[in-house]
PDB file of all heavy atoms in Angstrom:
ATOM      1  N   LEU A 109      28.822   0.106  -9.293  1.00 97.00           N
ATOM      2  CA  LEU A 109      27.643   0.859  -9.683  1.00 97.00           C
ATOM      3  C   LEU A 109      27.944   2.344  -9.528  1.00 97.00           C
ATOM      4  O   LEU A 109      28.746   2.737  -8.670  1.00 97.00           O
ATOM      5  CB  LEU A 109      26.430   0.496  -8.813  1.00 97.00           C
ATOM      6  CG  LEU A 109      25.765  -0.869  -9.017  1.00 97.00           C
ATOM      7  CD1 LEU A 109      24.637  -1.045  -8.007  1.00 97.00           C
ATOM      8  CD2 LEU A 109      25.241  -1.027 -10.423  1.00 97.00           C
ATOM      9  N   ASP A 110      27.289   3.167 -10.324  1.00 95.00           N
ATOM     10  CA  ASP A 110      27.439   4.616 -10.231  1.00 95.00           C
ATOM     11  C   ASP A 110      26.356   5.175  -9.311  1.00 95.00           C
ATOM     12  O   ASP A 110      25.171   4.859  -9.477  1.00 95.00           O
ATOM     13  CB  ASP A 110      27.321   5.248 -11.617  1.00 95.00           C
ATOM     14  CG  ASP A 110      27.504   6.750 -11.576  1.00 95.00           C
ATOM     15  OD1 ASP A 110      28.662   7.202 -11.505  1.00 95.00           O
ATOM     16  OD2 ASP A 110      26.480   7.462 -11.581  1.00 95.00           O
ATOM     17  N   ARG A 111      26.763   5.998  -8.331  1.00 94.00           N
ATOM     18  CA  ARG A 111      25.802   6.484  -7.339  1.00 94.00           C
ATOM     19  C   ARG A 111      24.635   7.230  -7.977  1.00 94.00           C
ATOM     20  O   ARG A 111      23.481   7.061  -7.569  1.00 94.00           O
ATOM     21  CB  ARG A 111      26.500   7.386  -6.318  1.00 94.00           C
ATOM     22  CG  ARG A 111      25.553   7.869  -5.218  1.00 94.00           C
ATOM     23  CD  ARG A 111      26.211   8.784  -4.194  1.00 94.00           C
ATOM     24  NE  ARG A 111      25.209   9.317  -3.299  1.00 94.00           N
ATOM     25  CZ  ARG A 111      24.852   8.777  -2.144  1.00 94.00           C
ATOM     26  NH1 ARG A 111      25.438   7.673  -1.730  1.00 94.00           N
ATOM     27  NH2 ARG A 111      23.921   9.318  -1.388  1.00 94.00           N
ATOM     28  N   SER A 112      24.919   8.047  -8.994  1.00 91.00           N
ATOM     29  CA  SER A 112      23.858   8.850  -9.596  1.00 91.00           C
ATOM     30  C   SER A 112      22.780   7.973 -10.238  1.00 91.00           C
ATOM     31  O   SER A 112      21.609   8.354 -10.288  1.00 91.00           O
ATOM     32  CB  SER A 112      24.430   9.815 -10.627  1.00 91.00           C
ATOM     33  OG  SER A 112      25.042   9.115 -11.690  1.00 91.00           O
ATOM     34  N   THR A 113      23.180   6.796 -10.712  1.00 89.00           N
ATOM     35  CA  THR A 113      22.200   5.897 -11.336  1.00 89.00           C
ATOM     36  C   THR A 113      21.410   5.119 -10.292  1.00 89.00           C
ATOM     37  O   THR A 113      20.440   4.432 -10.645  1.00 89.00           O
ATOM     38  CB  THR A 113      22.896   4.903 -12.283  1.00 89.00           C
ATOM     39  OG1 THR A 113      23.745   4.031 -11.527  1.00 89.00           O
ATOM     40  CG2 THR A 113      23.723   5.633 -13.330  1.00 89.00           C
ATOM     41  N   CYS A 114      21.809   5.232  -9.020  1.00 94.00           N
ATOM     42  CA  CYS A 114      21.158   4.465  -7.958  1.00 94.00           C
ATOM     43  C   CYS A 114      20.050   5.239  -7.258  1.00 94.00           C
ATOM     44  O   CYS A 114      19.368   4.683  -6.395  1.00 94.00           O
ATOM     45  CB  CYS A 114      22.187   4.024  -6.914  1.00 94.00           C
ATOM     46  SG  CYS A 114      23.436   2.888  -7.535  1.00 94.00           S
ATOM     47  N   GLU A 115      19.874   6.529  -7.597  1.00 93.00           N
ATOM     48  CA  GLU A 115      18.892   7.323  -6.860  1.00 93.00           C
ATOM     49  C   GLU A 115      17.479   6.793  -7.054  1.00 93.00           C
ATOM     50  O   GLU A 115      16.653   6.863  -6.140  1.00 93.00           O
ATOM     51  CB  GLU A 115      18.999   8.794  -7.251  1.00 93.00           C
ATOM     52  CG  GLU A 115      20.302   9.439  -6.760  1.00 93.00           C
ATOM     53  CD  GLU A 115      20.328  10.941  -6.948  1.00 93.00           C
ATOM     54  OE1 GLU A 115      19.331  11.496  -7.461  1.00 93.00           O
ATOM     55  OE2 GLU A 115      21.348  11.556  -6.585  1.00 93.00           O
ATOM     56  N   ALA A 116      17.182   6.253  -8.230  1.00 93.00           N
ATOM     57  CA  ALA A 116      15.860   5.676  -8.461  1.00 93.00           C
ATOM     58  C   ALA A 116      15.738   4.277  -7.873  1.00 93.00           C
ATOM     59  O   ALA A 116      14.639   3.722  -7.816  1.00 93.00           O
ATOM     60  CB  ALA A 116      15.563   5.636  -9.958  1.00 93.00           C
ATOM     61  N   GLY A 117      16.867   3.714  -7.444  1.00 97.00           N
ATOM     62  CA  GLY A 117      16.870   2.399  -6.828  1.00 97.00           C
ATOM     63  C   GLY A 117      17.267   1.293  -7.776  1.00 97.00           C
ATOM     64  O   GLY A 117      17.011   1.367  -8.986  1.00 97.00           O
ATOM     65  N   VAL A 118      17.930   0.289  -7.233  1.00 97.00           N
ATOM     66  CA  VAL A 118      18.289  -0.910  -7.982  1.00 97.00           C
ATOM     67  C   VAL A 118      17.820  -2.114  -7.177  1.00 97.00           C
ATOM     68  O   VAL A 118      17.778  -2.081  -5.947  1.00 97.00           O
ATOM     69  CB  VAL A 118      19.808  -0.994  -8.235  1.00 97.00           C
ATOM     70  CG1 VAL A 118      20.271   0.134  -9.126  1.00 97.00           C
ATOM     71  CG2 VAL A 118      20.593  -0.988  -6.917  1.00 97.00           C
ATOM     72  N   LEU A 119      17.455  -3.168  -7.887  1.00 97.00           N
ATOM     73  CA  LEU A 119      17.023  -4.383  -7.218  1.00 97.00           C
ATOM     74  C   LEU A 119      18.234  -5.207  -6.789  1.00 97.00           C
ATOM     75  O   LEU A 119      19.150  -5.443  -7.581  1.00 97.00           O
ATOM     76  CB  LEU A 119      16.128  -5.216  -8.125  1.00 97.00           C
ATOM     77  CG  LEU A 119      14.672  -4.771  -8.262  1.00 97.00           C
ATOM     78  CD1 LEU A 119      13.951  -5.645  -9.272  1.00 97.00           C
ATOM     79  CD2 LEU A 119      13.954  -4.807  -6.920  1.00 97.00           C
ATOM     80  N   VAL A 120      18.223  -5.642  -5.537  1.00 98.00           N
ATOM     81  CA  VAL A 120      19.267  -6.499  -4.982  1.00 98.00           C
ATOM     82  C   VAL A 120      18.610  -7.762  -4.458  1.00 98.00           C
ATOM     83  O   VAL A 120      17.568  -7.712  -3.782  1.00 98.00           O
ATOM     84  CB  VAL A 120      20.029  -5.779  -3.855  1.00 98.00           C
ATOM     85  CG1 VAL A 120      20.951  -6.738  -3.110  1.00 98.00           C
ATOM     86  CG2 VAL A 120      20.828  -4.601  -4.412  1.00 98.00           C
ATOM     87  N   GLY A 121      19.195  -8.895  -4.766  1.00 97.00           N
ATOM     88  CA  GLY A 121      18.666 -10.156  -4.274  1.00 97.00           C
ATOM     89  C   GLY A 121      19.057 -10.396  -2.825  1.00 97.00           C
ATOM     90  O   GLY A 121      20.179 -10.098  -2.413  1.00 97.00           O
ATOM     91  N   THR A 122      18.115 -10.911  -2.048  1.00 96.00           N
ATOM     92  CA  THR A 122      18.377 -11.338  -0.671  1.00 96.00           C
ATOM     93  C   THR A 122      17.627 -12.649  -0.446  1.00 96.00           C
ATOM     94  O   THR A 122      16.771 -13.042  -1.252  1.00 96.00           O
ATOM     95  CB  THR A 122      17.884 -10.311   0.368  1.00 96.00           C
ATOM     96  OG1 THR A 122      16.442 -10.414   0.488  1.00 96.00           O
ATOM     97  CG2 THR A 122      18.252  -8.884  -0.033  1.00 96.00           C
ATOM     98  N   ARG A 123      17.917 -13.316   0.652  1.00 94.00           N
ATOM     99  CA  ARG A 123      17.188 -14.553   0.952  1.00 94.00           C
ATOM    100  C   ARG A 123      15.769 -14.262   1.430  1.00 94.00           C
ATOM    101  O   ARG A 123      14.981 -15.194   1.621  1.00 94.00           O
ATOM    102  CB  ARG A 123      17.978 -15.395   1.953  1.00 94.00           C
ATOM    103  CG  ARG A 123      19.221 -15.998   1.300  1.00 94.00           C
ATOM    104  CD  ARG A 123      19.978 -16.988   2.169  1.00 94.00           C
ATOM    105  NE  ARG A 123      21.006 -17.632   1.368  1.00 94.00           N
ATOM    106  CZ  ARG A 123      22.213 -17.119   1.152  1.00 94.00           C
ATOM    107  NH1 ARG A 123      22.543 -15.955   1.702  1.00 94.00           N
ATOM    108  NH2 ARG A 123      23.079 -17.752   0.386  1.00 94.00           N
ATOM    109  N   GLY A 124      15.433 -12.980   1.613  1.00 90.00           N
ATOM    110  CA  GLY A 124      14.062 -12.577   1.878  1.00 90.00           C
ATOM    111  C   GLY A 124      13.349 -12.138   0.615  1.00 90.00           C
ATOM    112  O   GLY A 124      12.218 -11.662   0.681  1.00 90.00           O
ATOM    113  N   GLY A 125      14.011 -12.301  -0.557  1.00 93.00           N
ATOM    114  CA  GLY A 125      13.432 -11.895  -1.832  1.00 93.00           C
ATOM    115  C   GLY A 125      14.119 -10.652  -2.376  1.00 93.00           C
ATOM    116  O   GLY A 125      15.007 -10.075  -1.746  1.00 93.00           O
ATOM    117  N   PRO A 126      13.729 -10.192  -3.560  1.00 95.00           N
ATOM    118  CA  PRO A 126      14.317  -8.975  -4.125  1.00 95.00           C
ATOM    119  C   PRO A 126      13.967  -7.749  -3.281  1.00 95.00           C
ATOM    120  O   PRO A 126      12.844  -7.630  -2.784  1.00 95.00           O
ATOM    121  CB  PRO A 126      13.664  -8.884  -5.511  1.00 95.00           C
ATOM    122  CG  PRO A 126      13.141 -10.259  -5.806  1.00 95.00           C
ATOM    123  CD  PRO A 126      12.764 -10.838  -4.479  1.00 95.00           C
ATOM    124  N   ARG A 127      14.931  -6.843  -3.139  1.00 94.00           N
ATOM    125  CA  ARG A 127      14.711  -5.590  -2.422  1.00 94.00           C
ATOM    126  C   ARG A 127      15.268  -4.440  -3.248  1.00 94.00           C
ATOM    127  O   ARG A 127      16.368  -4.529  -3.778  1.00 94.00           O
ATOM    128  CB  ARG A 127      15.378  -5.610  -1.044  1.00 94.00           C
ATOM    129  CG  ARG A 127      14.771  -6.586  -0.054  1.00 94.00           C
ATOM    130  CD  ARG A 127      13.378  -6.145   0.386  1.00 94.00           C
ATOM    131  NE  ARG A 127      12.853  -6.973   1.451  1.00 94.00           N
ATOM    132  CZ  ARG A 127      12.138  -8.071   1.275  1.00 94.00           C
ATOM    133  NH1 ARG A 127      11.865  -8.488   0.040  1.00 94.00           N
ATOM    134  NH2 ARG A 127      11.696  -8.764   2.303  1.00 94.00           N
ATOM    135  N   ARG A 128      14.501  -3.344  -3.331  1.00 97.00           N
ATOM    136  CA  ARG A 128      14.978  -2.165  -4.050  1.00 97.00           C
ATOM    137  C   ARG A 128      15.661  -1.224  -3.065  1.00 97.00           C
ATOM    138  O   ARG A 128      15.093  -0.864  -2.039  1.00 97.00           O
ATOM    139  CB  ARG A 128      13.821  -1.446  -4.757  1.00 97.00           C
ATOM    140  CG  ARG A 128      14.294  -0.283  -5.643  1.00 97.00           C
ATOM    141  CD  ARG A 128      13.172   0.231  -6.534  1.00 97.00           C
ATOM    142  NE  ARG A 128      12.740  -0.765  -7.501  1.00 97.00           N
ATOM    143  CZ  ARG A 128      13.354  -0.990  -8.657  1.00 97.00           C
ATOM    144  NH1 ARG A 128      14.435  -0.275  -8.992  1.00 97.00           N
ATOM    145  NH2 ARG A 128      12.898  -1.917  -9.476  1.00 97.00           N
ATOM    146  N   VAL A 129      16.875  -0.839  -3.378  1.00 98.00           N
ATOM    147  CA  VAL A 129      17.671   0.024  -2.506  1.00 98.00           C
ATOM    148  C   VAL A 129      18.262   1.129  -3.364  1.00 98.00           C
ATOM    149  O   VAL A 129      18.615   0.923  -4.530  1.00 98.00           O
ATOM    150  CB  VAL A 129      18.759  -0.796  -1.764  1.00 98.00           C
ATOM    151  CG1 VAL A 129      19.661  -1.533  -2.732  1.00 98.00           C
ATOM    152  CG2 VAL A 129      19.587   0.076  -0.833  1.00 98.00           C
ATOM    153  N   GLY A 130      18.340   2.341  -2.788  1.00 98.00           N
ATOM    154  CA  GLY A 130      18.810   3.468  -3.577  1.00 98.00           C
ATOM    155  C   GLY A 130      19.592   4.477  -2.760  1.00 98.00           C
ATOM    156  O   GLY A 130      19.600   4.443  -1.527  1.00 98.00           O
ATOM    157  N   ALA A 131      20.256   5.381  -3.480  1.00 97.00           N
ATOM    158  CA  ALA A 131      21.028   6.452  -2.857  1.00 97.00           C
ATOM    159  C   ALA A 131      20.102   7.630  -2.570  1.00 97.00           C
ATOM    160  O   ALA A 131      19.388   8.098  -3.455  1.00 97.00           O
ATOM    161  CB  ALA A 131      22.160   6.887  -3.783  1.00 97.00           C
ATOM    162  N   ALA A 132      20.095   8.107  -1.314  1.00 94.00           N
ATOM    163  CA  ALA A 132      19.276   9.256  -0.944  1.00 94.00           C
ATOM    164  C   ALA A 132      19.960  10.535  -1.408  1.00 94.00           C
ATOM    165  O   ALA A 132      21.186  10.668  -1.270  1.00 94.00           O
ATOM    166  CB  ALA A 132      19.062   9.277   0.566  1.00 94.00           C
ATOM    167  N   PRO A 133      19.219  11.500  -1.972  1.00 87.00           N
ATOM    168  CA  PRO A 133      19.830  12.722  -2.506  1.00 87.00           C
ATOM    169  C   PRO A 133      20.673  13.486  -1.487  1.00 87.00           C
ATOM    170  O   PRO A 133      21.711  14.052  -1.827  1.00 87.00           O
ATOM    171  CB  PRO A 133      18.614  13.552  -2.948  1.00 87.00           C
ATOM    172  CG  PRO A 133      17.545  12.538  -3.218  1.00 87.00           C
ATOM    173  CD  PRO A 133      17.775  11.451  -2.216  1.00 87.00           C
ATOM    174  N   GLY A 134      20.262  13.493  -0.231  1.00 83.00           N
ATOM    175  CA  GLY A 134      21.003  14.234   0.788  1.00 83.00           C
ATOM    176  C   GLY A 134      22.079  13.427   1.482  1.00 83.00           C
ATOM    177  O   GLY A 134      22.650  13.859   2.478  1.00 83.00           O
ATOM    178  N   GLY A 135      22.405  12.266   0.944  1.00 88.00           N
ATOM    179  CA  GLY A 135      23.368  11.372   1.585  1.00 88.00           C
ATOM    180  C   GLY A 135      22.658  10.198   2.217  1.00 88.00           C
ATOM    181  O   GLY A 135      21.463  10.235   2.495  1.00 88.00           O
ATOM    182  N   GLY A 136      23.388   9.144   2.469  1.00 94.00           N
ATOM    183  CA  GLY A 136      22.786   7.937   3.008  1.00 94.00           C
ATOM    184  C   GLY A 136      22.068   7.156   1.926  1.00 94.00           C
ATOM    185  O   GLY A 136      22.177   7.445   0.727  1.00 94.00           O
TER     186      GLY A 136
END
Side-chain angles (χ1 to χ4, degrees):
L109 288 177
D110 181 79
R111 183 181 173 92
S112 62
T113 65
C114 296
E115 291 189 0
V118 295
L119 281 176
V120 170
T122 76
R123 289 187 171 85
R127 293 291 187 270
R128 186 169 295 277
V129 57

